[in-house]
Amino acid sequence: MSSSLSPASSARPRRPLGRVLPLALAAAVALLTAACGASDPAGEPVSASADAADASSFSWAVENEPVSFNPFVNSQDAAGPLLRNLYDSYLFLDADGVYHPWLAESYEVSADGLQITLKLRPGVTFSDGEPLDADAAVLNLTKTQDPAIVESTSWATSVDKVEKLDDLTFRIDLKEPDVRVLARLATVSGSPLSPKDFDLGVDDLKFGIAVHGAGPYAVDSYEKGQQIVLKARSDYNWAPEELTGRNGPAYTSTVVYRFLAEASTRSGALQAGQVDAIDSVPPQDVSLFKDNADYQYGATQNAGTPYTLYFNVSRPPFDDVRVRQAIQHGVDLDKVVAAVYNGSTQAAHGVFSPVVPFYDKDLDGYLTLDLDLANRLLDEAGYSGRDADGYRVDANGERLSIPIQSNATFVRDLRDILNQAIAAEIKANLSIDYTFKVLDSGSWSEVRQANEYVAWDNSLNSNDIAAALAPQYHSNPAIGFINLGQIHDPAVDQLIDAGQRSYDAAERTAIYKEFQSYVLTEQSYVLPLYVLRHSWAAPAAVSGFLSDPATGQNWN
């Protein structure tokens, strides 16, 4: 397997492997899908032995049911591990920040960064039997620029054209260098679908159960609200050996994902032997598996941006930077996060996850509790009075309220409990009426369209931080499609644009250092809350777990 490394790949700093916590795995059962191998304590891929026991079926209990099974429609980070069974990418990004071929046999980025050329691996097919060739790739990369059928076209704003060079070779021409395009080729959201899938109706295409990927599994059956059953493909033979140590069909012929939203139900199902593994281990249950020789527990920190409160700066009270800064210094997040998550994760101290290569450690001490400063800022902002219930009010007697409304689709990982704990802290420390309410997707959409929210909670995992910043911060709606902080700041746009145009690690480090300081401390546009982690538990005898080295997400 050959590769032509881009300037971005070769120049980026080594990403620490310490965030992937290797498992002490027994070899009795091999849960090695063709795309997902085990890791030894040094973080190196491990292949299964030839006489490894065949596991005919394996079942997961997961917290979230995907809203879509189409990879370029689904925006749930939690759906990634499931979708990775069905969809392979053109490239993958390793822990050192280097891109490697996957469905591509090789790739090359031109010296000026304006052309990305990929030569596809021969013999790759989709689960419906259609070949992955240059025509299929061009069709996919063209169709995924259509806002009628995709979640976002943000990644393609710099794409000029995509063209076939020969049966297995295609080229992406860019209007300007853009690392997001290279990152897209290495994510599940950029994975190709069978050409025939684009003949489906829009609703069927967007829901995704009827579409076909080039991954090691295909959908066998689906029961909404209950489970999805995947069957291994006997013809699969193109996994990246750098990750797996092998590239043949999956050992496990059937994989079942059961949708169990209740945390205690997942833990109970594992302990009762009703499932073989659980995803998103509830913090209060970590010790049941981590400290028990009969089980194994694994966790990774995710890349991208942490779970964050994005202040809506277009309306009161967060149109005033003093109120934003007061909230930043009005709650002890280290204490609250430790209590809610029972020490299983850490409070966020910056706008990037700490495992992002460009993370600025110099800002780690900014988000500290300072009640004198926070209360003085609120007084200066005009909220010095109190009402009969003791809450702050302005000169007109209007209460300072922060009603957080969150889309139920993305409420997971005890986020509702965390916000309730934050509400208690802010009430006690700042006399502010902070509330958290979960809305169904339809109601949240109405609130969003009417701009009737004061803040937005979100996290976004990504293999390259540029792919996470553009949609959440850029003022151009074609790029910042989830810029619900309503940040329309030329300085932010310029820094985002500069960071994604550069393939030089040192230059990007300087750009992102300025970005982090400006967004967090100077303008205080956000309140980072906690660092995402991906966790799982299983019996001690199960082997074959692998986390995505670029994002920290557990693939299978």
Side-chain angles (χ1 to χ4, degrees):
M1 185 178 291
S2 62
S3 66
S4 300
L5 299 180
S6 71
S9 313
S10 58
R12 290 175 60 182
R14 180 178 178 84
R15 190 189 305 273
L17 291 173
R19 65 190 179 86
V20 177
L21 307 181
L23 305 173
L25 303 178
V29 180
L31 175 64
L32 273 151
T33 71
C36 302
S39 293
D40 72 7
E44 298 300 324
V46 178
S47 60
S49 62
D51 59 352
D54 172 61
S56 60
S57 180
F58 194 87
S59 59
W60 281 88
V62 297
E63 181 177 9
N64 296 91
E65 179 175 6
V67 295
S68 170
F69 295 88
N70 183 323
F72 54 73
V73 172
N74 192 301
S75 59
Q76 297 168 287
D77 286 338
L82 191 161
L83 297 182
R84 264 298 175 208
N85 291 276
L86 303 170
Y87 306 103
D88 284 2
S89 299
Y90 297 101
L91 309 172
F92 78 90
L93 185 63
D94 71 14
D96 298 327
V98 178
Y99 288 90
H100 298 269
W102 187 340
L103 294 176
E105 185 176 71
S106 63
Y107 76 97
E108 184 176 6
V109 178
S110 62
D112 60 7
L114 294 176
Q115 292 183 327
I116 303 173
T117 304
L118 292 94
K119 183 175 181 60
L120 295 168
R121 180 195 294 266
V124 175
T125 60
F126 297 98
S127 59
D128 64 354
E130 289 293 300
L132 173 61
D133 54 21
D135 289 322
V138 171
L139 177 66
N140 269 270
L141 289 164
T142 301
K143 287 290 188 180
T144 50
Q145 297 180 54
D146 182 354
I149 61 173
V150 299
E151 174 71 12
S152 166
T153 60
S154 174
W155 69 275
T157 51
S158 61
V159 173
D160 183 24
K161 62 180 178 179
V162 185
E163 63 177 322
K164 170 183 175 181
L165 301 184
D166 61 41
D167 287 347
L168 291 175
T169 309
F170 66 97
R171 187 179 69 215
I172 304 171
D173 289 348
L174 306 177
K175 299 173 222 176
E176 60 182 8
D178 192 341
V179 296
R180 293 178 305 152
V181 177
L182 202 60
R184 173 83 176 189
L185 297 171
T187 61
V188 69
S189 59
S191 299
L193 307 181
S194 169
K196 288 185 176 180
D197 292 338
F198 293 100
D199 294 330
L200 293 169
V202 171
D203 289 344
D204 286 336
L205 178 60
K206 293 181 77 169
F207 186 52
I209 278 292
V211 304
H212 305 85
Y217 286 87
V219 175
D220 182 65
S221 64
Y222 171 59
E223 298 174 64
K224 184 173 177 58
Q226 300 295 320
Q227 65 180 22
I228 186 170
V229 179
L230 311 180
K231 288 290 186 181
R233 297 179 55 189
S234 61
D235 60 342
Y236 184 84
N237 194 37
W238 46 83
E241 294 183 52
E242 292 92 335
L243 279 178
T244 66
R246 62 182 297 274
N247 58 17
Y251 282 119
T252 307
S253 60
T254 303
V255 175
V256 181
Y257 282 87
R258 294 179 58 192
F259 310 126
L260 301 178
E262 181 62 41
S264 61
T265 303
R266 291 194 304 279
S267 295
L270 178 59
Q271 290 176 305
Q274 296 170 348
V275 295
D276 299 305
I278 62 172
D279 196 54
S280 301
V281 181
Q284 66 272 20
D285 291 347
V286 167
S287 61
L288 296 177
F289 308 113
K290 187 177 182 181
D291 302 327
N292 189 331
D294 293 332
Y295 295 96
Q296 57 181 295
Y297 168 80
T300 59
Q301 283 191 328
N302 292 178
T305 56
Y307 178 58
T308 299
L309 197 65
Y310 292 81
F311 302 129
N312 184 347
V313 300
S314 71
R315 54 171 294 168
F318 291 130
D319 56 346
D320 190 324
V321 67
R322 293 169 296 188
V323 177
R324 303 197 296 267
Q325 290 173 339
I327 299 299
Q328 286 183 331
H329 297 291
V331 57
D332 186 343
L333 285 173
D334 285 320
K335 181 186 75 174
V336 171
V337 170
V340 171
Y341 292 98
N342 201 28
S344 65
T345 191
Q346 69 180 71
H349 295 141
V351 296
F352 296 177
S353 165
V355 298
V356 171
F358 309 108
Y359 180 78
D360 186 1
K361 294 181 180 179
D362 292 341
L363 297 177
D364 278 356
Y366 173 72
L367 292 173
T368 55
L369 183 67
D370 189 336
L371 295 185
D372 289 339
L373 172 62
N375 282 289
R376 176 170 55 80
L377 287 168
L378 291 173
D379 289 343
E380 292 175 0
Y383 295 99
S384 58
R386 302 291 190 277
D387 64 13
D389 295 320
Y391 290 109
R392 284 183 176 270
V393 294
D394 63 14
N396 298 318
E398 184 173 346
R399 178 180 291 185
L400 177 53
S401 298
I402 303 175
I404 308 299
Q405 301 171 92
S406 187
N407 186 342
T409 301
F410 301 99
V411 177
R412 58 184 175 88
D413 204 23
L414 300 183
R415 291 178 178 181
D416 51 345
I417 306 301
L418 173 64
N419 276 277
Q420 291 165 18
I422 291 172
E425 282 277 301
I426 287 181
K427 177 182 179 180
N429 294 340
L430 304 179
S431 302
I432 293 176
D433 186 17
Y434 182 110
T435 57
F436 184 81
K437 184 178 181 180
V438 179
L439 302 180
D440 62 79
S441 295
S443 298
W444 163 245
S445 181
E446 293 176 5
V447 168
R448 171 180 173 174
Q449 292 300 321
N451 193 29
E452 294 177 345
Y453 59 95
V454 300
W456 178 59
D457 61 316
N458 190 53
S459 60
L460 188 56
N461 196 357
S462 63
N463 57 1
D464 190 297
I465 193 61
L469 297 185
Q472 295 184 111
Y473 287 96
H474 206 287
S475 65
N476 181 347
I479 300 173
F481 69 99
I482 50 173
N483 177 8
L484 300 191
Q486 302 292 341
I487 300 168
H488 300 284
D489 187 331
V492 170
D493 292 347
Q494 290 168 11
L495 289 168
I496 290 174
D497 293 343
Q500 67 194 32
R501 280 196 300 262
S502 175
Y503 289 89
D504 181 78
E507 183 177 15
R508 295 184 77 196
T509 297
I511 292 167
Y512 289 136
K513 183 178 179 67
E514 183 178 352
F515 177 91
Q516 292 169 81
S517 178
Y518 183 78
V519 166
L520 184 65
T521 69
E522 187 172 338
Q523 295 298 326
S524 302
Y525 285 135
V526 297
L527 175 63
L529 298 177
Y530 75 89
V531 180
L532 271 72
R533 82 270 186 250
H534 202 109
S535 62
W536 64 95
V542 177
S543 66
F545 293 100
L546 177 71
S547 293
D548 178 355
T551 67
Q553 192 173 65
N554 185 29
W555 273 347
N556 202 324

